[in-house]
């Protein structure tokens, strides 16, 4: 285990720290984006297309316009110009559905906005939206769930830049598979899943001359500023995006969706602030979802269990309008040692809303397939699945041919197996019983990328002994406010509860996206740099203030530690609290700015940077009533040093519960007739809730990864979801004898169990 000696005992880093924003949230005083109210505010409700493929024949707004309280019915002919945005340098201006709203008459998916009712109240706007009469020339939508890849070129444009469809290749995977003594060839499918953050998406937009202000629950305010500036032809400095709290996003709030420019265009047209909040139904149609995937995995191995060939051919759905890339091959090329490998993808266009990033995009469906294949291969070889992974542990990242910055996957497996009691497992299907229930035990591995976005921050030390840290990043419910307080407290000696944290505003220094599990890792160096620079300002002040005890010193003679300035040569004992120095100088605060660069922009990285983990799962199976429950999960995570273990465990527990939803419940279903997501509400789209949550034992290894940042912290938002579904399907097989290769596991799948009573 790593030592903690590098972090001083008094540091809050690595300590369980309750969320500093908790009291605001539980008392209802935290203002989420749609909680803001403004004088003269108008309400907007979009009119949704009720077909998924065709054209608007006629849009009749006569009745709607005459309704009480209605200010306008906006549509293509009267909303005003909205430009198309494009991707800039350094991935600036990411947007998945780039076609501006209401730009033409073509309907590409059910729920596409065709008009916007604006009124004095939400109820009046809703009634008017319902009263808009739209007729269509309708074609049959393509929502076919069998995915046959479209005829795309070898290199395709995606939302984030170009991708080779032959994603990764080494050796001769086909030949090695053909001659392998042991073969596995299976296809795994994951369904469309919809993010269901409790906070609905929405925009409140207002103009002051040529300046646009947006309140939106964004996971990436600076990206949103960039896209909106482009859509309205404005200089970036004329757009301000404010996001104080986010009621979770899971990726759906990463990039701007069309409701946002619609609200802004309505506010421009009517000269009033406009609020547009989506319904839960709209959340299923027009703000992204996890793409349905089909993945053929072929493994070749020796009888002893050494992999000789790995092939992953995957296809995913996308919309008619997007270039979103569901990167199921993310972890494939490095997770196991194999000399011959081929990862290839294809895409299939459908008349659905655009898919987008959803917690652990790419890797989560990808690892479901590859880890399931590993489990099936282990059963075929009669080798323990943990042992199969141990046998195929790579020494380096064999895809990039560079070392890992910090990989402790084997220790994850060992610790997990021990905590779970894996050695007691009898591999025979249906053989393990407890209290009249059949037990199933399964496991799977996890990986998720670790990297840093560019970040800037500002730290102030104030004359009352408090500090302020400002960073234009977001807290999406994961604990970013608290992390920034901990980092600032560590560097300044100001207690966590005396640090004011200001986030979520593009008028602040540019902070990272709350995505890719990268926000925490990205802010560390920027906040440290800012705190160091604030300390430098303080030491300069200490040596230049008349009557200061340090008047005779040079700034370089001084040090700042645990909130005190002292002469290095004399040691910290005679230090003066920084507040005393500020008060003596009649200075309210000293300030420091800091910044750090992105790590992933490096062309030739020296290290392969990822987090790792594994899950051990126990399901209980009652064959008499075909009842399957996830009863117990042990999860071990290797994600660098954990800054706040309290919030960290909470992230992993939440991810495991989401994994139960993925394995057993979640599935967005499209109506073959009109292309509508049928189960577009929280009664019919079932997510795992408290009652589904098993006992979850989360363990962090805690090895610092200094390649990522000086604290050694990688990210933890997504890794906990990777692999869960594969462990659950393996445990389900162990209990029932039924292999489910298309998620979610349904009761009817299990009715074929040979051990039904
Ligand atoms: Mo995450 S899908 O990067 O919000």
């Amino acid at each position: 285990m790593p030592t903690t000696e590098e972090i001083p005992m008094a540091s809050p880093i690595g300590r369980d720290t309750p969320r500093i924003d908790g009291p605001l949230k539980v008392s209802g005083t935290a203002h989420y984006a749609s909680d803001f109210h403004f004088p003269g505010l108008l309400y907007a409700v979009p009119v949704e297309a009720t077909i998924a493929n065709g054209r608007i024949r006629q849009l009749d707004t006569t009745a709607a316009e005459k309704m009480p309280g209605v200010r306008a019915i906006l549509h293509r002919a009267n909303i005003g110009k909205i430009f198309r945005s494009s991707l800039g340098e350094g991935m600036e201006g990411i947007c998945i559905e780039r076609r501006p709203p209401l730009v033409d008459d073509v309907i590409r998916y059910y729920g596409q906005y065709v008009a916007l009712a604006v009124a004095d109240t939400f109820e009046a706007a809703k009634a008017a939206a319902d009263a808009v009469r739209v007729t269509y020339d309708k074609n049959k939508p393509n929502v076919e769930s069998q995915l046959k890849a479209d005829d795309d070129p070898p290199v395709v444009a995606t939302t984030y830049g170009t991708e080779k469809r032959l994603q990764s290749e080494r050796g001769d995977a086909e030949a090695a598979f053909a001659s392998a003594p042991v073969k596995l060839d299976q296809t795994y499918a994951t369904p469309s899943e919809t993010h269901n953050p409790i906070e609905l998406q929405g925009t409140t937009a207002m103009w002051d001359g040529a300046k646009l202000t947006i309140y939106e629950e964004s996971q990436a305010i600076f990206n949103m500023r960039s896209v909106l500036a482009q859509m309205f032809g404005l200089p970036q400095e004329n757009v301000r995006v404010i996001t104080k709290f986010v009621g979770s996003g899971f990726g759906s709030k990463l990039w701007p969706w069309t409701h946002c420019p619609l609200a802004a265009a309505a506010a421009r047209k009517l000269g009033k602030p406009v609020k547009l909040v989506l319904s839960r139904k709209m959340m299923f149609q027009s703000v992204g979802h996890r793409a349905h995937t089909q993945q053929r995995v072929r493994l070749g191995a020796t009888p002893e269990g050494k992999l000789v060939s790995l092939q992953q051919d995957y296809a995913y759905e996308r919309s008619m309008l997007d270039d979103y890339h569901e990167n199921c091959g993310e972890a494939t090329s490095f997770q196991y040692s194999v000399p011959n490998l081929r990862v290839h993808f294809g895409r299939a266009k459908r008349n659905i809303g655009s898919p987008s990033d959803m917690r652990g995009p790419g890797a989560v469906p990808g690892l479901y397939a590859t880890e399931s294949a590993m489990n099936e291969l282990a059963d075929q070889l009669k080798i323990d699945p943990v042992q199969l992974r141990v046998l195929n542990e790579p020494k380096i990242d064999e895809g990039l041919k560079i070392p890992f910055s910090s990989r402790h996957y084997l220790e994850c497996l060992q610790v997990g197996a021990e905590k779970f009691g894996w050695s007691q497992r009898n591999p025979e299907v249906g053989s393990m019983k407890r209290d009249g229930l059949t037990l199933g035990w399964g496991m799977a591995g996890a990986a998720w990328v670790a990297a840093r976005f560019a970040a800037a921050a500002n730290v102030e030390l104030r004359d009352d002994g408090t500090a302020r840290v400002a960073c234009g990043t977001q807290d999406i419910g994961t604990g970013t406010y608290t992390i920034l307080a901990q980092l600032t407290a560590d560097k300044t000696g100001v207690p966590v509860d005396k640090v004011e944290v200001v986030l979520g505003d593009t008028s602040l220094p540019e902070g990272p996206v709350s995505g890719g599990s990268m926000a925490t890792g990205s802010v560390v160096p920027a906040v440290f740099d800012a705190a160091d620079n604030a300390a430098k300002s303080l030491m300069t002040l200490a040596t230049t203030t008349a009557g200061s005890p340090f008047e005779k010193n040079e700034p370089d003679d001084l040090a700042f530690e645990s909130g005190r300035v002292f002469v290095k040569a004399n040691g910290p004992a005679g230090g003066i609290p920084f507040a005393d120095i500020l008060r003596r100088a009649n200075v309210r605060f000293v300030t420091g700015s800091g910044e750090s660069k992105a790590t992933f922009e490096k062309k030739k990285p020296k290290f392969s940077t990822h987090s790792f983990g594994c899950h051990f799962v126990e399901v209980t199976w009652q064959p008499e009533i075909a009842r399957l429950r996830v009863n117990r999960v042990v999860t071990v995570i290797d994600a660098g040093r954990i800054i706040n273990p309290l919030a960290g465990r909470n992230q992993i527990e939440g991810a495991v519960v989401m994994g139960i939803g993925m394995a057993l419940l979640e599935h967005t279903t499209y109506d073959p007739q009109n292309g509508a997501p049928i189960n577009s509400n929280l009664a019919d789209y079932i997510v795992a809730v408290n009652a589904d949550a098993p006992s979850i034992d989360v363990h962090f290894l805690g090895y610092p990864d200094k390649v990522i940042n000086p604290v050694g912290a990688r990210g933890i938002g997504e890794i906990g979801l990777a692999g869960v579904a594969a462990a659950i399907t393996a445990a389900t097989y162990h209990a029932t004898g039924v292999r489910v290769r298309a998620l979610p596991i349904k009761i009817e799948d299990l009715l074929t169990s040979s051990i039904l009573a």
Side-chain angles (χ1 to χ4, degrees):
M1 296 297 282
T3 66
T4 51
E5 66 205 21
E6 294 151 77
I7 302 276
M9 278 309 286
S11 170
I13 290 178
R15 291 177 191 281
D16 284 353
T17 307
R19 292 175 194 224
I20 60 169
D21 50 332
L24 287 175
K25 287 184 173 171
V26 296
S27 62
T29 43
H31 274 62
Y32 290 77
S34 57
D35 293 336
F36 289 88
H37 193 83
F38 301 94
L41 183 71
L42 301 178
Y43 295 82
V45 172
V47 179
E48 306 150 70
T50 54
I51 67 164
N53 184 16
R55 280 182 176 273
I56 301 171
R57 189 189 303 150
Q58 204 198 0
L59 189 105
D60 180 359
T61 61
T62 337
E65 276 165 7
K66 291 191 190 121
M67 293 174 73
V70 171
R71 296 293 183 113
I73 308 295
L74 299 175
H75 47 81
R76 183 159 76 91
N78 64 1
I79 187 135
K81 179 78 181 164
I82 304 175
F83 294 96
R84 187 183 171 94
S85 69
S86 71
L87 189 66
E89 266 302 295
M91 299 216 298
E92 180 168 330
I94 298 172
C95 182
I96 290 180
E97 186 181 331
R98 283 209 191 267
R99 182 180 70 164
L102 311 186
V103 77
D104 57 31
D105 281 345
V106 181
I107 306 300
R108 296 298 207 176
Y109 62 93
Y110 184 98
Q112 180 186 316
Y113 305 133
V114 296
L116 186 72
V118 189
D120 293 333
T121 65
F122 170 75
E123 290 74 13
K126 175 77 173 78
D130 290 345
V132 173
R133 295 282 156 254
V134 194
T135 52
Y136 299 95
D137 292 321
K138 180 179 164 181
N139 301 319
K140 190 167 167 50
N142 181 355
V143 292
E144 169 61 42
S145 66
Q146 272 304 315
L147 300 179
K148 188 179 157 303
D150 293 335
D151 197 14
D152 280 320
V155 178
V156 292
T158 81
T159 300
Y160 308 107
T162 54
E163 289 282 342
K164 290 192 183 107
R165 291 178 58 202
L166 178 54
Q167 197 173 351
S168 191
E169 189 173 35
R170 57 183 183 253
D172 187 340
E174 284 202 27
F177 179 75
S179 62
V182 181
K183 293 185 179 65
L184 176 128
D185 181 354
Q186 293 294 354
T187 297
Y188 303 88
T190 62
S192 304
E193 286 178 73
T194 300
H195 325 79
N196 272 291
I198 290 303
E199 182 199 23
L200 300 166
Q201 293 207 41
T203 303
T204 302
M206 68 204 76
W207 293 79
D208 178 5
K211 291 196 171 170
L212 171 63
T213 301
I214 293 281
Y215 289 79
E216 170 104 21
E217 60 307 289
S218 171
Q219 294 178 233
I221 54 176
F222 280 89
N223 183 78
M224 176 162 278
R225 180 181 76 167
S226 169
V227 172
L228 285 171
Q230 293 189 56
M231 294 187 105
F232 290 95
L234 299 169
Q236 289 210 354
E237 60 271 22
N238 280 19
V239 181
R240 183 176 174 198
V241 180
I242 299 168
T243 299
K244 287 298 166 187
F245 295 95
V246 181
S248 198
F250 303 119
S252 67
K253 297 168 181 173
L254 273 169
W255 319 123
W257 295 102
T258 50
H259 64 268
C260 184
L262 267 190
R268 177 180 63 183
K269 177 88 184 170
L270 297 167
K272 300 267 186 201
V274 169
K275 182 182 288 189
L276 189 171
V277 180
L278 303 194
S279 65
R280 182 60 64 181
K281 176 168 172 277
M282 292 172 194
M283 295 280 287
F284 280 79
Q285 297 163 176
S286 47
V287 292
H289 65 272
R290 197 194 291 282
H292 165 43
T293 76
Q294 274 165 359
Q295 307 176 55
R296 181 179 181 194
V297 181
R298 278 170 286 179
L299 300 179
T302 66
E304 296 75 35
K306 183 69 199 77
L307 288 175
V308 295
S309 177
L310 194 174
Q311 295 173 84
Q312 181 187 20
D313 287 282
Y314 65 95
Y316 57 83
E317 69 183 7
R318 61 182 186 133
S319 75
M320 299 292 168
L321 299 170
D322 76 87
D323 295 314
Y324 176 71
H325 175 45
E326 184 70 26
N327 183 10
C328 297
E330 191 202 295
T332 314
S333 71
F334 64 80
Q335 187 68 334
Y336 298 111
S337 175
V338 56
N340 303 290
L341 173 139
R342 188 178 186 277
V343 181
H344 185 266
F345 73 87
R347 319 180 291 180
K349 280 193 171 183
R350 294 290 179 264
N351 289 106
I352 55 172
S354 297
S356 67
D357 304 85
M358 181 165 164
R359 201 176 194 176
V364 162
L367 281 160
Y368 161 67
T370 53
E371 287 295 300
S372 293
M374 287 294 279
N375 285 334
E376 291 199 46
L377 180 68
D379 289 348
Q380 204 174 315
L381 290 164
K382 300 200 186 331
I383 292 179
D384 185 277
V386 175
Q387 187 55 24
L388 180 67
R389 286 159 172 93
V390 172
L391 281 170
N392 291 287
E393 173 69 6
K395 292 202 169 56
I396 60 165
D397 177 330
E398 294 179 2
L400 296 175
K401 299 191 174 58
I402 50 174
F404 293 104
S405 58
S406 174
R407 172 172 163 124
H408 301 277
Y409 183 52
L410 292 186
E411 188 174 325
C412 289
L413 295 171
Q414 180 208 323
V415 171
E418 202 174 299
K419 285 185 173 290
F420 187 83
W422 186 255
S423 62
Q424 304 303 307
R425 181 177 184 260
N426 178 345
E428 196 190 325
V429 167
S431 65
M432 293 178 69
K433 310 271 181 192
R434 189 203 299 137
D435 301 334
L437 303 170
T438 306
L439 301 183
W441 285 9
M443 59 78 55
W448 181 249
V449 68
R452 249 172 43 208
F453 292 114
N458 179 268
V459 168
E460 290 170 7
L461 295 166
R462 301 192 286 212
D463 67 344
D464 56 0
T466 65
R468 177 186 194 265
V469 57
C471 179
T473 187
Q474 312 71 208
D475 189 331
I476 60 171
T478 48
T480 308
Y481 275 107
T482 312
I483 293 282
L484 277 138
Q486 289 178 277
L487 294 171
T488 307
D490 170 71
K491 286 298 259 188
T492 63
V494 174
V496 164
D497 62 356
K498 296 274 189 293
V499 180
E500 182 193 358
V501 184
V502 186
L503 309 177
D505 190 330
T506 52
S507 66
L508 302 173
E510 182 162 347
V513 164
S514 295
S517 304
M518 290 185 210
T520 292
S522 303
V523 296
V524 171
V527 171
F528 280 8
D529 187 32
D532 284 342
N533 287 332
K536 278 185 198 153
S537 310
L538 177 70
M539 291 186 277
T540 302
L541 185 73
T543 54
T544 54
T545 302
S548 158
F550 303 111
E551 210 185 342
K552 302 234 155 47
N553 295 105
E554 293 296 317
D556 282 353
D557 300 340
L558 303 182
F560 176 66
E561 255 174 43
S562 303
R564 287 167 175 263
V565 178
F566 56 91
V567 179
K568 279 181 210 164
N570 301 345
I576 308 278
F578 72 82
D580 290 359
I581 291 165
L582 293 171
R583 282 199 296 265
R584 192 184 301 256
N586 191 31
V587 166
R588 169 64 176 137
F589 60 84
V590 285
T591 181
S593 295
E595 59 180 22
S596 56
K597 291 195 161 56
T599 56
F600 60 85
E601 280 166 7
K602 282 187 200 148
K603 291 244 154 40
K604 283 211 169 116
K606 284 205 198 71
F607 295 100
S608 170
T609 52
H610 300 272
S611 288
F612 302 95
C614 62
H615 310 276
F616 288 80
V617 168
E618 176 179 285
V619 299
T620 58
W621 168 237
Q622 285 171 272
E624 302 84 355
I625 56 170
R627 185 174 198 257
L628 183 80
R629 300 277 298 171
V630 177
N631 187 50
R632 186 164 71 93
V633 179
V634 172
T635 296
V636 185
I637 299 291
D638 167 26
R641 189 191 295 284
I642 304 302
I643 294 177
N644 185 357
L646 183 66
R649 282 192 299 275
N650 183 232
Q651 279 296 296
I652 304 301
E653 287 162 0
V656 168
V657 173
M658 199 164 172
I660 293 171
M662 178 179 174
L664 300 177
L665 305 167
E666 296 196 42
H667 182 189
T668 309
T669 313
Y670 295 93
D671 184 328
Q673 296 310 312
N674 66 3
I678 300 172
N679 50 346
S680 56
N681 58 74
L682 285 175
D684 296 319
Y685 183 93
I686 307 168
V687 297
V689 296
N690 282 8
D692 301 296
S695 136
I696 306 170
D697 179 8
V698 177
H699 186 79
F700 292 115
L701 295 188
Y703 292 99
D705 186 344
K706 295 292 177 72
V707 169
I708 295 292
N709 54 47
V711 169
R714 296 194 294 240
I716 45 174
E718 287 155 291
I719 177 87
L721 179 53
V724 176
I728 293 174
T729 51
T732 301
Y733 171 75
H734 184 227
T736 65
V738 179
R739 289 274 184 212
V740 178
R741 300 189 184 93
L743 296 181
I745 299 170
K746 294 178 284 298
I747 292 170
E748 48 270 40
D749 296 327
L750 303 181
L751 294 179
T752 61
S753 172
S754 57
I755 60 162
L756 275 178

